[in-house]
Amino acid sequence: MLNILIGDTKKGDDYLFFSIDTEEMNEEIQDFFQMYDIKRKEKGLVIKGIAHNTLKNLFIKRKVIKMHFVDFPIPSNVSICKNKVALFSWGEKPVGYLIESRQIAEIYTKFFNWVWAMN
């Protein structure tokens, strides 16, 4: 799903995400996304993320990402790239949904940019 999310991107495209909202299992998930960072960097994507303040330490090693941290609830496990939105659940059996919709991607992008501008 994540490869499809960035499949039709080109250098300079934005990849925006709202991080997982809990520290539980987050180190394993961060390890997974560190490998995904390599693919996004190879494609030349501009990667921006928003996470809760309590998760700052999990992003220290991930140098290819521009991060902002907030102290209020945000949607979690959401990635936006071009006209696609990926929604994740990292439970016992991870599941994800990929939505291809320009309108939905624009709504999430506007909200992301609004939260981003607050910092």
Side-chain angles (χ1 to χ4, degrees):
M1 179 180 71
L2 290 173
N3 289 330
I4 294 169
L5 181 64
I6 63 172
D8 64 347
T9 59
K10 58 185 181 298
K11 185 176 182 175
D13 284 344
D14 286 333
Y15 182 103
L16 312 174
F17 71 92
F18 291 99
S19 177
I20 187 170
D21 62 353
T22 180
E23 290 188 60
E24 184 179 308
M25 282 184 55
N26 210 327
E27 288 192 39
E28 293 171 39
I29 294 166
Q30 293 303 317
D31 290 344
F32 169 82
F33 274 108
Q34 282 179 348
M35 293 184 304
Y36 190 53
D37 287 347
I38 295 166
K39 289 183 181 188
R40 294 182 291 193
K41 185 178 178 182
E42 287 172 352
K43 288 190 116 329
L45 301 178
V46 177
I47 309 164
K48 296 180 183 176
I50 298 174
H52 195 270
N53 284 330
T54 59
L55 302 175
K56 277 185 183 181
N57 64 326
L58 296 174
F59 290 92
I60 291 170
K61 295 186 242 173
R62 298 184 58 203
K63 304 295 183 189
V64 299
I65 299 174
K66 298 174 188 172
M67 289 296 299
H68 280 194
F69 298 94
V70 298
D71 62 357
F72 52 85
I74 54 173
S76 67
N77 306 316
V78 178
S79 295
I80 309 126
C81 193
K82 295 186 75 167
N83 66 338
K84 296 181 185 102
V85 177
L87 307 171
F88 305 91
S89 174
W90 290 99
E92 202 171 300
K93 182 178 178 185
V95 66
Y97 298 94
L98 183 63
I99 301 167
E100 188 167 351
S101 166
R102 183 182 49 80
Q103 289 176 308
I104 293 173
E106 284 177 2
I107 291 167
Y108 274 97
T109 299
K110 284 180 185 177
F111 181 67
F112 180 95
N113 289 331
W114 179 77
V115 174
W116 184 268
M118 295 175 80
N119 289 344

